[in-house]
């Protein structure tokens, strides 16, 4: 949540870069935007409520002098979206400029204390206490680096902070973090800092990680990192990022979401190329544990639920699934050092998941992480990490990262199955072969359903409410289909086990009410037919996702999406979810919404 960028370079103005970088960060929040630069010892400020391009049209974000600057795109936590609440925030004299991602828990006490001392605070944000605290320390004679260090001793909560000041003799950005991401980028004569890699990806692939409890000073010549605890210098090797700048562009697609749906076959293919020993080691950790607990949120939670079925039927291991946000309340208390937690998070930064993992570590349990972002926070807490290979995902609604989570879980289930011997080696071999074909099947599923999804959205865009039903592993598929529709097309969409549907949700159904069935040709099929009949008897309009040869189910449905070939049951989510992703995308378009930037949502949720 909230995108942060800072840049300091030897020559030339940074404003046009900051503007472009903020556009690449907009998926982190888009209710307001702000930039400051420093030139000739003076702070230049432009900030306003609204999306970046709207603000740019009004204020011209490219036209600001100075070779050092910071910028921010906001997802509001404290205070409504407004010009005054937009970052950056300043001290009393407009000499110190701060952007922040996270939440300062003790801001009310600090505000009261600062006001008492005569500071004038203009916004409702928690962030604004930071420049005023720094101001006091600098007035006492500390330089910016020292003043930020002292400030971190006063603030409680989670933060990534990027600061600059006109009072520094050398052009310098100071940044620090605790609980929220910051990465540093380097190239000759330029240093970058951002909440996300894609912000500076077109300029450099050389990244240096900044960890919690560290502070960095960035000049055009280089970077110095220190540990806050003991002021010792940290010497850290840089990392070469394999993502390309092109991957973070729309490449001719109207939206990132559509591009990312189309990139799914490639993303799966790349993830299936993960080295065998990487997967085997994770499987070994799981195999040697007494219990397996899967933790995740949102779409990653749906991957976990599908993964649970894969583990059960291929390896005879039935993990407990728990939402990471609820884990500290119940399951955590039962954990022991003999257990293993599998934490799934594409961003690697979701605070609910990270904080659950910290609890898990306290009880001595082993943590295996599945994430898509190299160097993300989860990789530092986990004992072992599987890095999925989706490349950068910019659309706020997760699509290709969901696919690669499923692919990684499938590999893990197969490897675990080899260790447990729950099914015959020949069955594992058959499933492995199927998995290798999955990218092509996904690709064909996109081609045969995209136009249909567009047309169906044209017919159904005025339906306010949808029910999504499935059985077994298809409940996870139904859940993901409903979540996509909810988050980008703003429909009321509820997913249920089809078995459970007659115990309550069926009361919603009346003439023409849309019910979406995920109905692969697996052992659940005949019971699903029963559920379709029940819904039809009440006048429901049936949309089903079925195998292409399933004439019977087709004849029972008003609309069908078809899957080109017979699939291995446990892996069906990977294929059957695709038409539902496309349907949601075209529903959002038809209703006039931007699918890449759903209201109230942000790509990575870094508050509890
Ligand atoms: C849905 C979506 C969210 C995320 C959730 C967890 O499209 O994007 O529900 O899945 O916020 O995010 P990660 O996987 O980054 O932990």
């Amino acid at each position: 949540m909230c995108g942060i960028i800072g840049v300091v370079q030897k020559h030339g103005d940074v404003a046009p870069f900051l503007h472009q970088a903020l556009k690449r960060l907009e998926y982190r929040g888009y209710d307001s935007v702000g930039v400051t630069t420093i030139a000739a010892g003076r702070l230049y400020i432009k900030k306003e409520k609204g999306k970046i391009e709207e603000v740019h049209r009004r204020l011209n974000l490219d036209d600001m002098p100075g070779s050092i600057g910071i910028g921010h795109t906001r997802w509001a936590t404290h205070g409504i979206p407004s010009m005054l609440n937009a970052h950056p925030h300043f001290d009393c004299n407009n000499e110190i400029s701060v952007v922040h991602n996270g939440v300062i828990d003790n801001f009310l006490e600090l505000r009261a204390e600062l006001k008492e001392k005569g500071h004038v605070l203009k916004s409702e944000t928690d962030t604004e206490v930071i420049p005023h605290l720094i101001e006091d320390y600098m007035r006492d004679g500390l330089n910016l680096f020292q003043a930020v260090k002292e400030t971190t001793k006063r603030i409680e909560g989670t933060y990534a902070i990027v600061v600059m000041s006109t009072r520094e003799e050398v052009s310098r950005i100071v940044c620090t973090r605790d609980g929220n991401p910051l990465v540093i980028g380097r190239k000759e004569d330029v240093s970058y800092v951002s909440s996300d890699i894609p912000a500076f990806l077109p300029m450099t692939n050389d990244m240096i990680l900044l960890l919690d409890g560290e502070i960095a000073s960035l000049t055009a010549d280089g970077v110095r990192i220190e540990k806050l605890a003991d002021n010792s210098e940290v010497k850290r090797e840089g990392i070469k990022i394999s993502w390309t700048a092109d991957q973070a562009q729309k490449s001719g697609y109207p939206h990132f979401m559509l591009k990312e749906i189309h990139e799914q076959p490639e993303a799966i293919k790349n993830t299936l190329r993960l080295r065998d020993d990487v997967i085997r080691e994770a499987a070994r950790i799981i195999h040697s544990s007494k219990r397996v607990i899967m933790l995740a949120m949102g779409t990653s939670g749906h991957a976990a639920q599908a993964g649970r079925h894969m583990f059960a039927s291929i390896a005879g291991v039935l993990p407990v699934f728990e939402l990471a946000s609820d884990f500290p309340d119940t399951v955590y208390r039962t954990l022991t050092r003999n257990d293993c937690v599998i934490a799934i998070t594409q961003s690697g930064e979701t605070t609910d998941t990270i904080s659950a993992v910290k609890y898990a570590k306290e009880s001595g349990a082993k943590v295996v992480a599945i994430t898509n972002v190299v160097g993300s926070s989860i990789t530092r807490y986990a004992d072992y990490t599987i890095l999925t290979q989706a490349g950068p995902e910019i659309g706020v609604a997760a699509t290709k990262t969901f696919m690669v989570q499923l692919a990684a879980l499938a590999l893990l289930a197969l490897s675990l199955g080899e260790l447990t011997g729950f099914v015959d080696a020949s069955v594992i071999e058959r499933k492995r072969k199927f998995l290798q074909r999955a990218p092509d099947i996904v690709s064909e599923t996109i081609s045969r359903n995209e136009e249909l999804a567009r047309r169906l959205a044209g017919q159904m865009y005025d339906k306010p409410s949808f029910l999504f039903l499935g059985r077994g592993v298809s409940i996870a598929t139904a859940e993901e289909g409903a979540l996509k529709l909810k988050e980008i097309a703003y429909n009321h969409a509820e997913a249920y086990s089809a078995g459970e549907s007659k115990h309550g949700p069926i009361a919603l159904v009346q003439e023409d009410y849309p019910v979406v069935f995920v109905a692969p040709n697996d052992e659940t099929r005949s019971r699903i037919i029963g559920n379709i009949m029940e819904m039809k008897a009440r006048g429901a309009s049936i949309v089903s996702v079925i195998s292409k040869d399933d004439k019977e189910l087709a004849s029972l449905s008003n609309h069908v999406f078809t899957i080109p070939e017979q699939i291995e049951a446990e892996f069906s989510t990977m294929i059957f979810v695709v038409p539902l992703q496309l349907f949601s995308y075209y529903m959002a378009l038809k209703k006039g919404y931007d699918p890449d930037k759903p209201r109230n949502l942000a790509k990575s949720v870094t508050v509890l």
Side-chain angles (χ1 to χ4, degrees), residues 423-443:
V423 293
D424 255 25
S426 61
V427 174
I428 300 227
E429 196 42 41
R430 193 188 72 220
K431 290 186 190 297
R432 269 198 199 286
K433 282 204 176 119
F434 170 81
L435 211 49
Q436 292 306 324
R437 290 210 331 277
D440 290 342
I441 304 175
V442 169
S443 183

Side-chain angles (χ1 to χ4, degrees), residues 226-508:
E226 285 185 15
K227 278 200 176 120
L228 283 166
D230 58 9
N231 300 325
S232 59
E233 187 176 357
V234 176
K235 294 270 181 211
R236 181 164 296 130
E237 290 284 298
I239 298 177
K240 249 301 178 260
I241 312 154
S242 59
W243 294 358
T244 66
D246 235 24
Q247 287 178 307
Q249 309 292 326
K250 283 190 200 148
S251 321
Y253 284 93
H255 296 98
F256 280 111
M257 183 177 176
L258 190 62
K259 172 182 176 247
E260 286 158 3
I261 290 173
H262 280 265
E263 283 173 345
Q264 292 184 128
E266 194 60 28
I268 299 172
K269 206 177 281 173
N270 290 336
T271 301
L272 292 178
R273 286 195 196 115
L274 282 173
R275 288 206 329 264
D276 280 351
D277 56 333
V278 170
I279 302 294
R280 266 205 306 268
E281 176 56 14
R284 191 197 58 74
I285 296 171
I286 296 164
H287 188 228
S288 62
S289 305
K290 205 157 153 209
R291 285 194 315 162
V292 184
I293 293 100
M294 290 180 163
L295 295 176
M297 299 302 294
T299 291
S300 299
H302 301 151
Q305 290 178 51
R308 196 171 150 264
H309 282 271
M310 298 177 199
F311 277 38
S313 58
I314 300 173
V317 173
L318 183 63
V320 174
F321 168 70
E322 183 76 355
L323 283 174
S325 56
D326 296 326
F327 174 75
D329 302 319
T330 46
V331 176
Y332 148 71
R333 291 174 217 287
T334 72
L335 224 59
T336 73
R337 56 200 307 278
N338 301 320
D339 297 328
C340 167
V341 160
I342 304 178
I344 306 172
T345 162
Q346 68 80 20
S347 64
E349 301 292 350
T350 298
T351 302
D352 286 313
T353 311
I354 302 281
S355 100
V357 161
K358 287 182 187 164
Y359 275 103
K361 295 287 292 181
E362 266 175 36
S363 56
K366 284 265 174 311
V367 176
V368 173
I370 299 180
T371 186
N372 195 51
V373 181
V374 65
S376 57
S377 297
I378 194 102
T379 62
R380 291 191 294 280
Y381 295 110
D383 297 289
Y384 195 77
T385 300
I386 296 177
L387 199 59
T388 55
Q389 302 294 317
E393 184 176 74
I394 310 290
V396 167
T399 52
K400 63 174 177 167
T401 54
F402 179 56
M403 285 294 170
V404 295
Q405 290 169 342
L406 293 168
L409 286 162
L411 289 175
L412 209 44
L414 291 168
S415 200
L416 192 60
E418 280 166 353
L419 292 174
T420 62
F422 185 68
V423 293
D424 255 25
S426 61
V427 174
I428 300 227
E429 196 42 41
R430 193 188 72 220
K431 290 186 190 297
R432 269 198 199 286
K433 282 204 176 119
F434 170 81
L435 211 49
Q436 292 306 324
R437 290 210 331 277
D440 290 342
I441 304 175
V442 169
S443 183
E444 207 189 320
T445 303
I446 296 173
S447 338
R448 65 190 299 139
N449 290 291
E450 183 159 359
E451 178 52 23
L452 185 62
R454 201 183 59 74
R455 265 192 283 131
L456 194 58
Q459 290 168 39
M460 292 202 142
Y461 69 96
D462 58 348
K463 303 267 182 225
S465 176
F466 286 71
L467 203 54
F468 285 71
L469 301 178
R471 279 178 179 263
V473 71
S474 299
I475 300 171
T477 319
E479 297 244 15
E480 179 58 8
L483 178 64
K484 289 283 94 85
L485 193 61
K486 209 177 315 197
E487 65 184 342
I488 61 169
Y490 313 145
N491 286 90
H492 167 245
E494 247 183 288
Y496 257 89
S497 147
E500 174 79 334
S501 64
K502 56 194 178 297
H503 296 278
I506 199 165
L508 293 172

Side-chain angles (χ1 to χ4, degrees), residues 513-584:
Y513 183 92
V515 183
V516 180
F517 278 92
V518 181
N521 190 2
D522 61 15
E523 60 192 13
T524 67
R525 183 177 170 278
S526 60
R527 283 172 289 148
I528 278 280
I529 290 182
N531 300 126
I532 294 182
M533 298 311 286
E534 289 153 15
M535 293 296 164
K536 274 178 83 68
R538 278 133 192 111
S541 171
I542 309 291
V543 179
S544 41
V545 191
I546 58 175
S547 298
K548 87 169 192 304
D549 300 327
D550 200 333
K551 304 264 179 315
E552 188 183 6
L553 272 177
S555 71
L556 295 176
S557 310
N558 300 77
H559 309 276
V560 287
F561 291 113
T562 55
I563 303 304
E565 56 183 279
Q566 182 57 31
I567 39 90
E568 292 287 335
E570 306 80 9
F571 302 151
S572 66
T573 304
M574 209 182 276
I575 320 289
F576 277 68
V577 78
V578 171
L580 304 180
Q581 296 171 329
L582 288 164
F583 178 59
S584 302

